[in-house]
């Protein structure tokens, strides 16, 4: 009747070089059914807001249960 919610730990799978690469990674993961999020390094989010490619790096995170599949997707992308 009641479903038990399971909490997953978010793990960093890579650091993208810039916002453009991060968005490409997020899209590839999404197409493979892997939810992911990015975290800007330093204060790059301000630059990204204005459409400027920050070039400061972006960390990509997935749930721990998806880390192995995400690594395979990255490998397929040559990362």
């Amino acid at each position: 009747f009641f479903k038990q919610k399971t909490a997953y730990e978010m793990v960093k799978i890579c650091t993208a070089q810039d916002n453009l690469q991060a968005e490409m990674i997020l899209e590839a993961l999404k197409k493979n059914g892997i939810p992911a999020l990015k975290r800007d390094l330093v204060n790059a989010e301000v630059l990204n807001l204005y459409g400027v490619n920050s070039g400061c790096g972006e960390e990509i995170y997935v749930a721990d249960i998806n880390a192995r599949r995400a690594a395979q997707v990255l490998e397929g992308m040559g990362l």
Side-chain angles (χ1 to χ4, degrees), residues 2-67:
F2 290 104
K3 290 186 178 182
Q4 181 181 0
K5 279 193 167 184
T6 305
Y8 298 106
E9 184 177 334
M10 297 302 286
V11 293
K12 183 174 84 168
I13 57 165
C14 73
T15 302
Q17 295 176 0
D18 54 31
N19 187 53
L20 180 61
Q21 185 182 45
E23 291 297 331
M24 290 172 36
I25 292 169
L26 291 177
E27 185 62 28
L29 292 171
K30 181 179 176 182
K31 284 182 180 179
N32 284 276
I34 303 171
L37 58 90
K38 67 178 180 170
R39 179 175 164 257
D40 298 317
L41 297 177
V42 290
N43 290 325
E45 66 270 3
V46 174
L47 293 174
N48 292 334
L49 260 177
Y50 292 103
V52 177
N53 191 14
S54 69
C56 295
E58 314 249 347
E59 296 176 333
I60 308 295
Y61 291 86
V62 298
D64 55 0
I65 62 165
N66 292 324

Side-chain angles (χ1 to χ4, degrees), residues 25 28-29 32 68-79:
I25 292 169
L29 292 171
N32 284 276
R68 179 173 289 173
R69 286 191 318 133
Q72 292 172 342
V73 171
L74 292 177
E75 189 176 308
M77 294 176 70
L79 299 173

